[in-house]
Amino acid sequence: MIDNIQIGDFTFATLLDGVFPCGPELIQAAASTEGEQLFLGAGLPPIGPSPEPINAFVLKRGNRLWLIDAGCGRQLGPDFGKTHAALEALGYKAEDVEAIVLTHLHEDHIGGLLTDDGAAAFPNARIIVVSEELAFWTDPTSPAKNPDEAQAKFDVVQSALKPYEGKIESVPADSAIEPGVRFVALFGHSPGHCGVLIEGGGQKLLMWGDIAHSTLLQLAYPHWSIVFDFDEGMAATTRRKLLAQLAKEDTLIAGSHVRGIGRIRSKEDGYVLQLIEPGIA
Ligand SMILES: [Zn+2]
């Protein structure tokens, strides 16, 4: 399995922030015979959970350095927040990050924007986020209009973005970020949830954000939702449409909660991720 790759002039590298247990309490449809079969088939207990990653990503071209998402920082406890160490281990410095492209504003993607004492962890970076997502989480009337979303989630967004005030760029979904890099609207998991498509040298790689939180469960059964979905129906429709499209394409995928990089292929009624291995990318 490989998790770093060259797409044209771009270097794309995975930064593992932490690993979370994904079981039927998060994907409730997995409390079923079908779920048991998948867990057992993966060598796990019949009720799981499956260990799933939280990833951020480096995108580099020449001497320009971007991040896609920032990991969760300490939001989820001491076992998380390893994005910074992973970045340094690859030889990069937080000060050199020019921009951070955010797929959406959930805590496991933005907590890492802050140091432990609440300052900007990437002092020279600007934030690039889709307008629909930014508007939802920063509109003061949103919490009252969306009582299902905990106030704490709005508070996390506010504190994560605060040190970047004046350096936040919001762009429409599906718009270009840089030549060869664009947002792809994949709404549903959050109001403005997007993937990031990287194109170069005749290759495409889609970092699909939170299209799946468990490839084990949600590629076999794409209609299975996770409790974190803002709009479960829309998230499932988005996932099914995207998987059907990717199954016919050569596009590589990476994900915030996906191990490795690969291609989506059809299998029975669902899909599988065919990971690329060293030497056959
Ligand atoms: Zn996530």
Side-chain angles (χ1 to χ4, degrees), residues 197 204-206 246 249-253 262-265:
L197 181 69
K204 288 187 192 181
L205 181 143
L206 175 68
L246 290 170
E249 294 183 1
D250 196 42
T251 305
L252 293 166
I253 73 99
R263 293 182 179 86
I264 295 299
R265 293 294 173 253

Side-chain angles (χ1 to χ4, degrees), residues 104 106 108-109 189 210 213 256-257:
H104 63 300
H106 283 169
D108 52 322
H109 302 257
H189 175 61
D210 282 13
H213 290 76
S256 307
H257 308 297

Side-chain angles (χ1 to χ4, degrees), residues 8-191:
D9 297 336
F10 292 104
T11 302
F12 177 88
T14 305
L15 306 171
L16 178 63
D17 193 85
V19 174
F20 74 100
C22 190
E25 69 287 352
L26 298 183
I27 296 181
Q28 291 167 342
S32 58
T33 313
E34 292 85 352
E36 281 181 16
Q37 281 171 351
L38 289 173
F39 285 129
L40 289 171
L44 297 164
I47 54 159
S50 65
E52 302 293 351
I54 294 175
N55 295 321
F57 299 90
V58 164
L59 188 63
K60 186 171 185 286
R61 179 165 57 192
N63 56 11
R64 299 184 63 192
L65 184 65
W66 299 276
L67 290 192
I68 305 175
D69 290 340
C72 57
R74 301 292 169 203
Q75 284 296 329
L76 301 178
D79 293 339
F80 297 86
K82 296 175 183 163
T83 289
H84 292 261
L87 184 68
E88 280 175 19
L90 291 177
Y92 303 125
K93 292 199 194 87
E95 298 77 50
D96 295 336
V97 175
E98 167 187 322
I100 302 162
V101 179
L102 296 173
T103 59
H104 63 300
L105 299 180
H106 283 169
E107 61 184 2
D108 52 322
H109 302 257
I110 61 170
L113 291 174
L114 301 179
T115 61
D116 286 351
D117 51 13
F122 302 96
N124 301 316
R126 69 187 199 280
I127 304 288
I128 307 173
V129 60
V130 162
S131 327
E132 289 89 336
E133 184 72 2
L134 186 67
F136 177 83
W137 293 107
T138 56
D139 177 349
T141 67
S142 267
K145 286 188 204 148
N146 297 277
D148 289 350
E149 298 286 334
Q151 179 64 42
K153 291 169 83 174
F154 292 95
D155 296 343
V156 164
V157 173
Q158 203 177 26
S159 58
L161 296 183
K162 189 143 194 17
Y164 297 88
E165 245 168 33
K167 298 198 292 180
I168 300 171
E169 201 177 297
S170 70
V171 301
D174 288 319
S175 61
I177 301 167
E178 285 278 326
V181 187
R182 63 185 305 112
F183 276 123
V184 177
L186 298 171
F187 293 178
H189 175 61
S190 71

